Amino acid sequence: PAPAAANAPSRFHQGIALLTGLQLGTVSILVGIPVLAAWYPLGERPGVGTILNIAIIGTATNVAMDLIPAAGELPVQVVMMLAGVGTIAIGSGLYLASDLGPGPRDGLMTGLHLRFGWSIRRARTGIELSVLILGFLAGGTIGIGTIVFALGIGPAVQVALRVFDREGRVSASGSLS
């Protein structure tokens, strides 16, 4: 089985990795680039943080897949799953508040938020559910961790942005409702 760290990347990436034989992080890097094209109709533009996000997250995923062992016991799996969602939400809140450019999915999230007035929670959950379905169709697996991440990361990022983005840099209006 895949290490517990693999629960954070989407099953969309997992499905593509299974189809191509590429490492999961490498797929994340390669998919991140064309996702940026979906930003333009939403009014988002990449920044230095965008490029760093694509490169660092993909590389860190490849390294983590080799270093972080799979959790055997169910309580440890649950703790790792919840810690993963929390860590990604806090990290997203911190780096998005720096206003150096969002990562690929975060740019879609903020673009949907700004263009259509969707809450951060709604935009991110919609994106995650979409890639969950696409990943499943590409051969990726769906487990409880996948579902918890897809449904939990949007609300968690919204909370993190309320904490770390008090000046409203992510939201032009300063509102993340």
Side-chain angles (χ1 to χ4, degrees):
N7 286 334
S10 81
R11 297 308 176 178
F12 178 65
H13 295 152
Q14 182 196 40
I16 292 173
L18 290 170
L19 290 172
T20 63
L22 294 171
Q23 289 183 294
L24 192 63
T26 304
V27 171
S28 175
I29 292 168
L30 295 174
V31 168
I33 296 166
V35 168
L36 300 179
W39 288 17
Y40 287 97
L42 299 173
E44 286 290 331
R45 300 295 178 261
V48 66
T50 306
I51 305 307
L52 290 173
N53 179 286
I54 291 170
I56 291 171
I57 297 299
T59 302
T61 299
N62 285 341
V63 171
M65 294 291 291
D66 292 332
L67 294 179
I68 300 175
E73 302 291 325
L74 182 60
V76 175
Q77 290 175 345
V78 170
V79 168
M80 289 179 76
M81 174 187 62
L82 295 174
V85 173
T87 300
I88 291 170
I90 291 167
S92 295
L94 285 168
Y95 99 89
L96 287 168
S98 75
D99 201 27
L100 294 174
R105 284 193 199 169
D106 291 326
L108 287 177
M109 173 187 73
T110 56
L112 290 168
H113 170 67
L114 295 170
R115 175 96 176 182
F116 299 111
W118 292 6
S119 67
I120 291 293
R121 150 183 86 244
R122 177 181 176 197
R124 184 60 184 259
T125 301
I127 292 164
E128 292 301 331
L129 289 174
S130 297
V131 295
L132 182 146
I133 292 166
L134 289 171
F136 177 75
L137 294 174
T141 57
I142 296 177
I144 189 69
T146 313
I147 295 167
V148 167
F149 186 84
L151 296 175
I153 195 63
V157 169
Q158 184 163 317
V159 168
L161 284 169
R162 284 190 179 131
V163 171
F164 298 114
D165 187 33
R166 293 180 187 256
E167 296 174 12
R169 287 182 288 261
V170 174
S171 168
S173 66
S175 169
L176 296 172
S177 59

